[in-house]
Amino acid sequence: MTLNGEMLIGFAAVRGNEGERLAFNPATNSEIAEPVFGMGGVAEVERAASLAANAFDRYRAAPLAKRAALLEAIAEHILGLGDELIDRAHAETGLPVQRLQGERARTVGQLRLFAKVVRDGHFLGATIDRAQPGRQPLPRADLRLAKMPLGPVAVFGASNFPLAFSVAGGDTAAALAAGAPVIVKAHSAHLGTSKLVGSAIQKAVKEQGLPEGTFSLLFGAGRQLGEALVSHPAVKAVGFTGSRQGGIALMQLANARPEPIPVYAEMSSINPVFLFPAALANRAEAIGNAFVESLTMGAGQFCTNPGLVLAVDGPDLERFVDAAATALTSKPAQTMLTPGIFDAYRAGAHGTDAVRGVVKVAEGEPAGERANAAQAVLYVTEAARLLASSELKAEMFGPASVVVRARDFDQLLELAEHFEGQLTVTLQIDPADVAEAKRLLPVLERKAGRILANGFPTGVEVCDAMVHGGPYPSTSNSMFTSVGATAIDRFLRPVCYQDLPDMLLPEAVRDANPLGVWRLVDGEPSAPEA
C-alpha cells in the first residue's frame, strides 16, 4: 500500500495540523524521508473519542461471531501486508528481520486466540441463580450475571514491540474481543509501522460492517495528545506498556478525572534469577551460557530481561560468572530502538560503574562507529551493596545485568524480601534444591506474577495460562495480565440482572442459552445443549 502521514479516525484519513514529524532509523541515526506525518491534538482526540462513544453500544451488541470474525480479519490483513510491514518495522526500529517476522506471528496468534475466546463465550461469566419464591424466611429473586465491556479503551503503543504490543497488539486485541472500541496512540518510534497495521484494522472493521469509531489511530508529539486522550470522558480504560515514569503519569491523570478510570500499565521489572547450590554445582557453565543468550536477546530491550542474578557465594558461582563473562565478550553490540533509549541505557551503565563495590567483569564487543548500538555488560557485587543501593534495584533497560553474591541462603531470603514487585522471578534448581526452594517460594509469590524454573524469562507465551503482570511497580494492577486469554478481563465489568423478563436479558443468561455457552446455574456448571 502507499504509505502516507495521515491518521485514521473512524473510516476517515485525517491529516493532523499540530506539527509534522518524520520517522527515524536508529541504525543509520537519520530520519526517514517519506512520508511526513501530521501530528494530531485535542481536536483529533475529540473526534475519535466521540466516534468511539457512538460506536460502543452498537459494537458490543454485535454477535460474538462477528466480533471474532473481526479479529481474524485483522490477522489476515496484517499477514497480507507481507514484506512491506517487516521492511518498514526494520527501518524504524533496527530490530532484525527474523525477530520481526516472529513478532508478526505472535501478533497474529494473539488475535486468533482472542477470536477463540470470544466464540467460546466463557469470558462472559454467565451465571444464573433462579428465583426461589417459596424460600423461607424470605423468597429469592431471579438473579443473573453477565459481563459487559467498560467502554472505549485508549491504547498506547509500546516502543520495544512495534507489532505485538502496539497498534494491533495484546491490549487492542483484548479490548476489541471484550466489545470495546479502541483508540490507539501510535508510538513515535514507529509511525509508519503503526500506520500500516492501523490500515489493516480499519479495513477489517469496514469489511465486517461494524460501526465507524470501532477503531482509530492517532499521531501526536509530546504529551498533549496522550493527556487529552486519557482525560476524555468517553474513554473508560487505558492500556500502556512503557516506563515507570510514563505509567505513573497516566495513572495520575486517570485518577484526577471527575470519573477515575483504570490504567493497566506495565512499567518496570528487573526479573531476578536465583541460582540454587545443586544446580550451580551440576551445570554452572550451561546456565551461564543460556543466561547470556537471554540477556542479550533483542539488545536486552525486553520487560522480562534478567537484570539481576543471585546466588550463595562460592566456587560454583565463580564458574557461572566465568562462563557468562566468556560468552558475553563475543556478543556484538546491537542497535537500540531509539537514541533516547540508547542514551538512557548508557547513563544507567555509567551510574552502575560509579557504585562503590560493583565490579564490571565483562563487556560485549564495542559498538565502534555504529549508531545507538548497546554494548552488553556484566557486573558482580555483594548482597550488602545491593541492599544499600537504590541504583542496583532499578531497571536498566538493555543488555546489562548484576550478579549478587550472598553469604548464605538466609541472606538470599533477605534480598528477596527487599525486592519491589516483579513481572518474573526465575529459579535455577535441581532436585536437591527443592527444600530450599520451598523456603523461598512464599516470598516470591508475593513479589512476582510469573515464577519459572530452569529457563529464562525472556519469551512470553501467548496462551490461556500466561500471566504477564505483577505487583506494583511492575504493573499498576497486579490482579490482571496483559498477555494471555484472561487479559480480556481488564476491559469487562459484571452486571447483575434481577427479575428482568427473558427478552430483556443478555443472550448469555437467557433461559434458552442462545449463545450455547457454559454457565453456572444455581451453583452448578451447566453445559450447553448439544
Side-chain angles (χ1 to χ4, degrees), residues 382-408:
E382 306 298 322
R385 182 60 55 191
L386 177 65
L387 290 169
S389 173
S390 59
E391 293 92 342
L392 298 181
K393 298 172 189 173
E395 180 185 33
M396 197 186 319
F397 193 65
S401 190
V402 180
V403 178
V404 180
R405 297 187 178 106
R407 65 174 179 271
D408 53 29

Side-chain angles (χ1 to χ4, degrees), residues 91-268:
E92 291 184 330
T93 66
L95 294 172
V97 167
Q98 186 175 7
R99 147 73 194 273
L100 290 166
Q101 290 170 336
E103 190 179 331
R104 177 177 60 187
R106 173 186 171 138
T107 305
V108 168
Q110 288 175 157
L111 290 159
R112 290 172 174 165
L113 171 67
F114 280 112
K116 179 178 177 294
V117 168
V118 170
R119 286 197 173 94
D120 175 75
H122 183 73
F123 75 99
L124 294 167
T127 306
I128 299 173
D129 288 312
R130 290 177 290 203
Q132 296 179 3
R135 190 182 68 173
Q136 295 297 326
L138 294 172
R140 184 175 80 182
D142 184 271
L143 299 167
R144 307 191 179 210
L145 178 151
K147 294 179 181 178
M148 67 167 284
L150 293 174
V153 174
V155 171
F156 287 73
S159 63
N160 59 334
F161 281 87
L163 302 175
F165 279 86
S166 194
V167 177
D171 289 342
T172 296
L176 290 174
V182 173
I183 306 168
V184 175
K185 180 186 181 297
H187 197 283
S188 59
H190 32 77
L191 294 170
T193 305
S194 297
K195 177 60 182 292
L196 289 169
V197 175
S199 297
I201 300 175
Q202 185 191 63
K203 182 178 180 181
V205 172
K206 288 181 179 178
E207 285 180 353
Q208 295 300 317
L210 292 164
E212 184 177 17
T214 298
F215 171 79
S216 290
L217 172 69
L218 304 179
F219 303 141
R223 298 179 177 176
Q224 182 192 39
L225 187 142
E227 290 176 352
L229 190 54
V230 175
S231 300
H232 197 284
V235 171
K236 301 302 181 184
V238 176
F240 171 83
T241 299
S243 68
R244 186 185 304 193
Q245 180 183 8
I248 290 173
L250 294 182
M251 291 163 59
Q252 291 172 340
L253 274 173
N255 288 329
R257 292 171 35 137
E259 176 201 8
I261 59 172
V263 174
Y264 299 109
E266 181 205 311
M267 295 179 288
S268 63

Side-chain angles (χ1 to χ4, degrees), residues 46-57:
E46 177 62 37
R47 182 172 175 181
S50 296
L51 283 172
N54 290 334
F56 175 50
D57 283 336

Side-chain angles (χ1 to χ4, degrees), residues 183 379 384 499 524:
I183 306 168
Y379 300 95
D499 287 335
E524 298 292 335

Side-chain angles (χ1 to χ4, degrees), residues 13-14 73 103 147 150 167 195 223 259 285 291 309 329 370-371 410 415 441 456 469 493 498 508 510:
V14 178
E103 190 179 331
K147 294 179 181 178
L150 293 174
V167 177
K195 177 60 182 292
R223 298 179 177 176
E259 176 201 8
E285 289 81 8
F291 159 72
V309 180
T329 57
R370 294 180 58 191
D410 286 340
L415 291 169
L441 193 59
F456 286 95
R493 65 179 180 87
Q498 182 169 329
R510 290 182 186 173

